[in-house]
């Protein structure tokens, strides 16, 4: 057992080391040379602005660090989607921060940039959090304008969200700290307060070159849309500041005077660390993902005092449900049990598979958490729902639908962590991205797909071979093996948690020991949004 633990620990620590290296590289944005250029202009970088703005010693929970990774090679790449987003604390108040990274294509908007900005606004709206925009962007990346401009979830959606947040009473503060052009000019001006940095900030619908081309007027950008123009003549901006730090200081002053929000009232007491050490997590998760393990061991490393009040422990054993506290917050946990379990009838059930009794138990538990106003934590390592004639005759579809219905209609905040497999309908039932978790993060061990790589590759191979035979072509065993390898490699690339993070299917990839921190910040943010009444809808019994 010790040898197995050590092997698991070595493997996961290696994955976490690779995670840290990737994160460090991504945080360089457009590179050190571009960062020096920012400083030479008298500007801070996006990350330096955030570090200066948030409370000293506080955490910044980044959302979408790996957005765009590997997606725009022909355009030279787009690290972190060209924008830094996340939840930070200003004068003790959690808020969403959006900072354009001008070291990446001058802060231009790629398709993933729009998706990431919309995700940040979504987090602000769901949690009723103030949002701060640190604007420094050249606008839409024109070579890809057709993928970013006209559709519902494209560039223009952010301005609709500006208006919706205003009607919801969500505070929006914008600082123009660099370029702010064309349609992007509406974002700060649709905010509650807009400020600008003198000589480096500018805002206009069309720059000097376009003005010359359109109407023949010759004018420089500073006169056209600089701080003096908009603070003293047009009145578009509210205040101007001599440098980035003075502007950020003013934002902090504004937050110092904000009124208190209406809280949801989630239960919190003084936090206690788990009795089981957090770093024990590294050795508990098997390197071989088909090997069974006890999810209870994972849970005890995450919850306060390692205390877990299990719900229906003797029923529906392939899902673990129960109550606990994490960093003092009361939580309900729904987790896939990965060990093989035995029912009272003497039947053996495979770990990681959701059976009818498990789905029935989870549905009831989710309803209880909503009744008691307790946030839900989902720990995913799921292969899917049970299949076969016995499962179908037992009503697996009906019971699975009950679980999905309860989870989808849940009004308490949900937080999802993909620690292993996340396959097929199991992803949905365990609160995948489509079901509005307030935050969703993956461990480096996560895999997200319709089915496992091995199963998918064999299925795709059969389809390909059948297609070739239908065309009258023959395929040798060697060619078939090569084809299988190509399909497997391509599919395995898509299973990677970084592939998911690049497309914002998850908010990020984290070291397992950061799970408690993410949950705590997430619930503190969610506590700022009153919980609506729970209505489960129609469920077949």
């Amino acid at each position: 057992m010790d040898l197995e633990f050590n092997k698991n620990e070595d493997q996961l620590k290696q994955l976490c080391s690779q995670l840290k290296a990737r994160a460090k590289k991504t945080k360089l944005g457009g590179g050190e040379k571009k960062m020096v250029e920012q400083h030479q202009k008298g500007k801070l970088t996006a990350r330096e602005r955030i570090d200066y703005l948030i409370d000293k010693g506080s955490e910044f929970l980044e959302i979408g660090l790996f957005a765009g990774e590997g997606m725009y090679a022909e355009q030279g790449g787009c690290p972190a989607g060209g924008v830094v987003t996340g939840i930070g604390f200003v004068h003790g108040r959690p808020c969403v921060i959006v900072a354009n990274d001008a070291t990446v294509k001058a802060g231009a908007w790629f398709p993933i940039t729009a998706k990431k900005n919309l995700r940040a606004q979504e987090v602000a709206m769901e949690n009723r959090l103030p949002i701060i925009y640190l604007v420094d962007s050249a606008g839409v990346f024109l070579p890809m304008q057709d993928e970013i401009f006209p559709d519902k979830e494209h560039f223009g959606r952010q301005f609709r969200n500006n208006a919706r947040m205003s009607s919801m009473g969500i505070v929006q503060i914008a600082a123009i700290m660099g370029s702010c052009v064309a349609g992007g000019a509406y974002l700060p001006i649709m905010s509650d307060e807009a400020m600008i940095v003198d000589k480096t900030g500018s805002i206009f619908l069309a720059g000097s070159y376009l003005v010359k081309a359109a109407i023949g007027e010759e004018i420089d950008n500073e006169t056209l849309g600089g701080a003096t123009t908009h603070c003293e003549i047009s009145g578009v901006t509210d205040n101007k500041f001599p440098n980035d730090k003075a502007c950020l200081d003013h934002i902090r002053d504004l937050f110092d005077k904000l009124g208190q929000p209406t809280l949801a009232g989630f239960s919190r007491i003084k936090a206690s660390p788990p009795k089981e050490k957090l770093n024990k997590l590294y050795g508990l998760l098997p390197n071989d993902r088909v090997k069974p393990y006890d999810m209870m061991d994972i849970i005890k490393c995450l919850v306060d005092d390692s205390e877990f009040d299990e719900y229906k422990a003797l029923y529906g054993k392939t899902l673990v449900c129960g109550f606990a506290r994490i960093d003092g917050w009361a939580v309900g946990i729904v987790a896939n049990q990965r060990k093989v379990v035995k029912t009272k009838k003497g039947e053996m059930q495979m770990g990681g598979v959701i059976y009818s009794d498990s789905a029935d138990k989870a549905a009831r538990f989710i309803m209880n958490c909503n009744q008691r106003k307790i946030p839900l934590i989902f720990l995913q390592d799921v292969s899917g729902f049970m299949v076969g004639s016995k499962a179908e005759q037992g009503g697996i579809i009906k019971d699975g639908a009950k679980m999905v219905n309860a989870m989808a209609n849940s009004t308490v905040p949900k937080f999802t962590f993909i620690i292993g497999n996340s396959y097929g309908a199991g992803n949905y039932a365990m609160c995948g991205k489509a079901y509005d978790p307030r935050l969703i993060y993956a461990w480096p061990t996560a895999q997200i797909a319709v089915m496992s790589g091995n199963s998918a590759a064999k299925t795709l191979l059969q389809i390909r071979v059948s297609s070739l035979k239908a065309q009258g072509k023959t395929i040798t065993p060697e060619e078939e093996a090569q084809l299988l390898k190509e399909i497997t490699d391509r599919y395995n690339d898509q299973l990677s948690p970084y592939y998911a993070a690049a497309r914002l299917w998850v908010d990020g990839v984290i070291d397992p020991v950061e799970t408690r921190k993410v949950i705590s910040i997430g619930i503190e943010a969610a506590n700022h949004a009153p919980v609506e009444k729970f209505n489960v809808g129609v469920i077949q019994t």
Side-chain angles (χ1 to χ4, degrees):
M1 181 63 183
D2 289 339
L3 180 60
E4 186 70 20
F5 183 94
N6 291 337
K7 285 182 179 179
N8 296 338
E9 184 178 47
D10 289 344
Q11 177 65 19
L12 186 44
K13 282 187 174 181
Q14 186 177 358
L15 291 175
C16 289
S17 177
Q18 293 169 5
L19 166 62
K20 289 178 174 63
R22 293 175 87 141
K24 183 178 180 180
K25 181 180 178 181
T26 302
K27 288 178 180 180
L28 290 175
E32 293 181 352
K33 183 179 178 181
K34 291 289 185 180
M35 295 167 73
V36 170
E37 290 176 4
Q38 283 280 99
H39 294 156
Q40 289 173 343
K41 295 175 183 176
K43 298 161 68 174
L44 299 174
T45 65
R47 294 183 183 278
E48 289 169 343
R49 288 167 177 164
I50 292 173
D51 288 343
Y52 186 85
L53 175 64
I54 63 176
D55 297 341
K56 303 309 173 192
S58 67
E59 295 280 359
F60 177 68
L61 177 59
E62 187 155 357
I63 296 172
L65 172 61
F66 296 110
E69 183 175 289
M71 291 176 62
Y72 304 107
E74 292 182 2
Q75 290 78 24
C78 187
V83 62
V84 183
T85 63
I87 300 173
F89 292 82
V90 179
H91 275 291
R93 185 77 165 258
C95 57
V96 174
I97 302 173
V98 179
N100 298 114
D101 187 350
T103 70
V104 180
K105 296 289 191 297
W109 284 57
F110 281 65
I112 198 66
T113 316
K115 187 173 184 179
K116 186 171 176 179
N117 274 264
L118 293 177
R119 173 60 179 147
Q121 290 182 320
E122 180 182 51
V123 171
M125 288 189 284
E126 286 180 336
N127 298 292
R128 301 295 196 275
L129 296 182
I131 185 167
I132 300 168
Y133 306 102
L134 305 179
V135 184
D136 193 348
S137 171
V140 168
F141 185 65
L142 290 177
M144 303 186 76
Q145 66 85 26
D146 62 319
E147 297 180 46
I148 186 175
F149 172 67
D151 209 348
K152 181 178 179 180
E153 300 295 334
H154 282 180
F155 184 74
R157 185 75 171 183
Q158 67 174 332
F159 312 128
R160 174 265 189 193
N161 287 349
N162 284 143
R164 291 292 301 132
M165 282 189 278
S166 180
S167 72
M168 294 165 68
I170 295 172
V171 174
Q172 299 178 80
I173 305 295
I176 302 160
M177 313 183 86
S179 297
C180 185
V181 300
Y186 287 103
L187 185 143
I189 308 311
M190 291 184 74
S191 298
D192 302 309
E193 187 158 347
M195 56 208 71
I196 188 169
V197 178
D198 198 17
K199 300 297 186 287
T200 56
S202 61
I203 177 170
F204 33 64
L205 292 181
S208 57
Y209 292 131
L210 185 54
V211 167
K212 170 69 173 176
I215 63 173
E217 180 183 3
E218 294 209 22
I219 189 169
D220 63 88
N221 282 338
E222 182 63 26
T223 306
L224 181 66
T228 298
T229 295
H230 287 309
C231 283
E232 300 180 23
I233 301 174
S234 73
V236 166
T237 52
D238 302 306
N239 289 288
K240 67 176 179 179
F241 299 91
N243 54 53
D244 284 5
K245 289 185 177 181
C247 186
L248 296 168
D249 285 336
H250 182 66
I251 295 175
R252 288 188 55 80
D253 289 341
L254 293 175
F255 269 73
D256 184 40
K257 299 169 182 66
L258 289 183
Q260 290 299 311
T262 301
L263 300 180
F266 301 129
S267 172
R268 192 181 197 185
I269 62 174
K270 184 178 179 181
S272 300
K275 290 179 181 177
E276 298 285 351
K277 292 183 178 180
L278 258 178
N279 59 12
K280 187 179 176 182
L281 287 169
Y282 295 124
L284 294 174
L285 207 62
N287 180 28
D288 183 350
R289 64 183 53 249
V290 301
K291 283 188 176 181
Y293 65 91
D294 192 344
M295 181 59 80
M296 289 296 296
D297 294 334
I298 301 285
I299 291 172
K300 288 179 180 178
C301 290
L302 296 174
V303 301
D304 290 8
D305 287 321
S306 298
E307 292 182 355
F308 182 67
D309 182 11
E310 191 170 359
Y311 174 79
K312 290 183 180 285
L314 302 178
Y315 177 71
K317 295 182 181 180
T318 63
L319 276 177
V320 174
C321 300
F323 302 101
R325 289 190 181 271
I326 293 179
D327 199 32
W329 294 103
V331 297
I333 296 175
V334 180
N336 301 110
Q337 177 57 281
R338 288 297 303 189
K339 69 178 184 179
V340 178
V341 299
K342 188 175 183 179
T343 69
K344 280 193 172 182
K345 296 179 181 179
E347 299 170 335
M348 304 304 292
Q349 294 183 340
M350 295 184 293
V353 177
I354 301 174
Y355 290 76
S356 286
D357 53 356
S358 302
D360 176 62
K361 176 173 80 170
R364 181 71 257 178
F365 178 73
I366 290 167
M367 288 188 279
N368 284 348
C369 286
N370 277 269
Q371 183 75 12
R372 302 170 195 177
K373 204 157 68 174
I374 299 174
L376 282 159
I377 311 297
F378 290 84
L379 303 178
Q380 284 198 19
D381 192 351
V382 57
S383 302
F385 284 89
M386 189 58 190
V387 296
S389 60
K390 188 173 182 180
E392 298 293 357
Q393 291 167 12
I396 185 65
I397 295 176
K398 178 184 68 176
D399 290 319
K402 286 165 59 177
M403 179 181 174
V404 171
N405 196 319
M407 181 274 302
N409 283 298
S410 175
T411 57
V412 295
K414 299 169 292 195
F415 303 90
T416 301
F417 296 86
I418 303 172
I419 69 177
N421 301 333
S422 181
Y423 298 151
N427 170 280
Y428 300 159
M430 293 295 292
C431 196
K433 184 64 183 288
Y435 291 85
D436 301 319
R438 295 291 175 94
L439 295 170
I440 176 169
Y441 283 85
W443 288 8
T445 46
Q447 288 191 350
I448 306 166
V450 171
M451 62 182 74
S452 70
N454 186 51
S455 297
K458 289 180 179 178
T459 302
L460 291 168
L461 177 65
Q462 290 173 5
I463 294 171
R464 185 79 65 84
V465 170
S466 296
S467 177
L468 290 171
K469 287 181 178 178
Q471 299 171 31
K473 299 178 182 178
T474 58
I475 182 169
T476 66
E478 292 77 14
E479 290 172 333
E480 188 171 320
Q482 178 60 31
L483 190 55
L484 177 61
K485 182 180 183 305
E486 291 173 3
I487 294 171
T488 302
D489 290 346
R490 183 172 67 253
Y491 196 86
N492 284 339
D493 286 341
Q494 296 175 3
L495 285 171
S496 165
Y498 297 102
Y499 188 92
R503 289 151 183 81
L504 290 174
W505 301 345
V506 296
D507 291 319
V509 184
I510 60 169
D511 187 315
V513 300
E514 295 180 326
T515 306
R516 274 174 57 89
K517 177 189 77 176
V518 173
I519 292 171
S520 182
I521 293 175
I523 297 179
E524 185 165 357
N527 199 35
H528 286 69
V531 176
E532 298 176 4
K533 183 180 179 181
F534 175 66
N535 185 354
V536 76
V538 177
I539 293 184
Q540 288 188 337
T541 58

